[in-house]
Amino acid sequence: MNKEELVKIKEKALNDHIPIIMDDTLEVISNILKEVKPKRILEIGTAVGYSAICFSGFLEEDGKIDTIEREHDRVELARENIKRAEVEDKINIIEGDAVEILPSLNEVYDAIFIDASKGKYPFFLKEALRMLGAKGIIFADNVLYKGYVMSDYNKHKQRTAVRNLREFLAELQSNEELETKILEVGDGLAIARKK
Ligand code: SAH
Ligand code: MG
């Protein structure tokens, strides 16, 4: 991977107000991926490819990432960035709405990163669980959504997202096949491992 390019990609994304993974969240996920050495990763929410490029450094030999993005301009930028970072052999971008794409996938993934529309997290979880391999691990970003999820303030205009994030967390925590942790890093990170 070309790390100099990665730094530039990150700076440009921040300048352009593209919502990329926060440093502390990335650090937590990276430390786990270093141990897990996944062969197959699924990402929901590519944006401009920053997190996928970062994760590609932790893949096992011949490993691959599938990543889904619905905004065409972002897909184009992500393609460019992935080339510049010299990891185009490791990352496969799927353009489209994950709500439509996910049911058409039939792969087994070692790690799944959920980082797209918060109102869809319960659906993403259902699909993620269908494709998660033995000992697989799910990461979900933004699960505390600026503190709204854990507060009783629910008149916010994003209340549907908040309700769905709460449902998502409740499902994770009640699922007996998973061991779940919710960390207050970044905007809230859920980590769920298959027992
Ligand atoms: N993982 C990226 C950031 C993703 S931001 C990183 O850390 O670098 C979330 C992205 O998800 C946005 O680009 C948005 O367009 C995309 N998105 C949101 N809902 C989606 C959906 N239902 N299907 C596909 N992409 C979606
Ligand atoms: Mg995010």
Side-chain angles (χ1 to χ4, degrees):
M1 182 200 308
N2 187 326
K3 293 224 163 114
E4 270 166 47
E5 286 298 328
L6 184 64
V7 172
K8 289 187 209 158
I9 290 162
K10 178 184 177 187
E11 277 171 10
K12 183 169 188 307
L14 291 172
N15 266 326
D16 296 345
H17 303 287
I18 306 283
I20 61 168
I21 191 167
M22 291 170 82
D23 289 339
D24 50 357
T25 309
L26 178 62
E27 196 185 325
V28 172
I29 297 179
S30 298
N31 284 332
I32 295 173
L33 291 182
K34 256 178 227 164
E35 276 176 40
V36 174
K37 292 199 192 73
K39 185 137 193 157
R40 301 285 281 120
I41 298 177
L42 172 67
E43 175 179 73
I44 308 172
T46 317
V48 295
Y50 177 71
S51 53
I53 295 168
C54 294
F55 298 160
S56 73
F58 304 109
L59 286 169
E60 201 193 304
E61 183 95 15
D62 296 328
K64 268 213 177 348
I65 301 178
D66 287 331
T67 180
I68 308 171
E69 174 59 49
R70 67 179 171 194
E71 280 190 32
H72 182 68
D73 294 354
R74 288 192 175 171
V75 169
E76 301 256 277
L77 274 172
R79 285 223 166 89
E80 248 173 62
N81 288 339
I82 286 163
K83 231 185 214 154
R84 283 169 50 196
E86 296 163 23
V87 289
E88 65 265 53
D89 53 331
K90 297 183 173 183
I91 302 174
N92 169 41
I93 305 176
I94 305 170
E95 181 171 353
D97 191 322
V99 173
E100 285 158 29
I101 303 285
L102 287 168
S104 73
L105 298 179
N106 261 312
E107 307 281 333
V108 177
Y109 294 101
D110 307 307
I112 300 179
F113 181 45
I114 301 176
D115 192 20
S117 36
K118 301 171 190 73
K120 300 282 159 46
Y121 273 34
F123 177 77
F124 295 157
L125 177 60
K126 200 180 83 185
E127 288 297 304
L129 288 171
R130 180 177 64 80
M131 294 188 276
L132 193 65
K135 305 263 169 191
I137 183 158
I138 294 173
F139 302 99
D141 194 19
N142 310 95
V143 296
L144 299 178
Y145 197 10
K146 301 175 185 164
Y148 301 142
V149 172
M150 292 303 181
S151 75
D152 54 12
Y153 183 66
N154 60 8
K155 290 203 182 96
H156 189 266
K157 64 173 162 47
Q158 304 295 359
R159 64 182 176 277
T160 311
V162 170
R163 192 181 56 231
N164 286 315
L165 283 172
R166 283 180 184 150
E167 184 189 323
F168 169 81
L169 293 178
E171 273 170 26
L172 273 186
Q173 285 168 316
S174 66
N175 187 320
E176 291 187 347
E177 288 176 20
L178 300 174
E179 196 176 289
T180 298
K181 280 189 214 156
I182 295 160
L183 306 183
E184 284 181 36
V185 292
D187 195 24
L189 174 70
I191 304 176
R193 278 180 198 253
K194 229 183 204 178
K195 285 180 192 163

